[in-house]
Amino acid sequence: MQTFYDVQQLLKKFGLIIYFKDELNTIEMMNQELKDLHRSGLISNEEFMQARLILNQRKMGKL
């Protein structure tokens, strides 16, 4: 997993398509869903950490 699109595709595997007009809100909701998936054991620690890193980098680019 290397891009924002890859994170979107990971979430899509679980039926989650997240889009808000404000991209920062989209990123925040994606982070929340990733936490829930990880807590439920549906994604690995590595997937979780990679996805969070990508989202945090994207978020920093928008601030």
Side-chain angles (χ1 to χ4, degrees), residues 9-50:
Q9 293 307 302
L10 173 66
L11 292 171
K12 189 175 176 183
K13 287 181 192 177
F14 298 97
L16 299 166
I17 298 173
I18 301 169
Y19 176 79
F20 291 97
K21 189 173 183 178
D22 179 2
E23 188 171 355
L24 291 176
N25 289 337
T26 300
I27 292 168
E28 187 58 37
M29 180 60 76
M30 290 172 78
N31 268 319
Q32 291 298 320
E33 293 297 341
L34 284 168
K35 287 178 190 175
D36 289 341
L37 290 171
H38 182 255
R39 201 173 308 127
S40 300
L42 297 171
I43 60 174
S44 68
N45 284 338
E46 185 177 333
E47 287 175 309
F48 176 68
M49 291 179 7
Q50 284 180 322

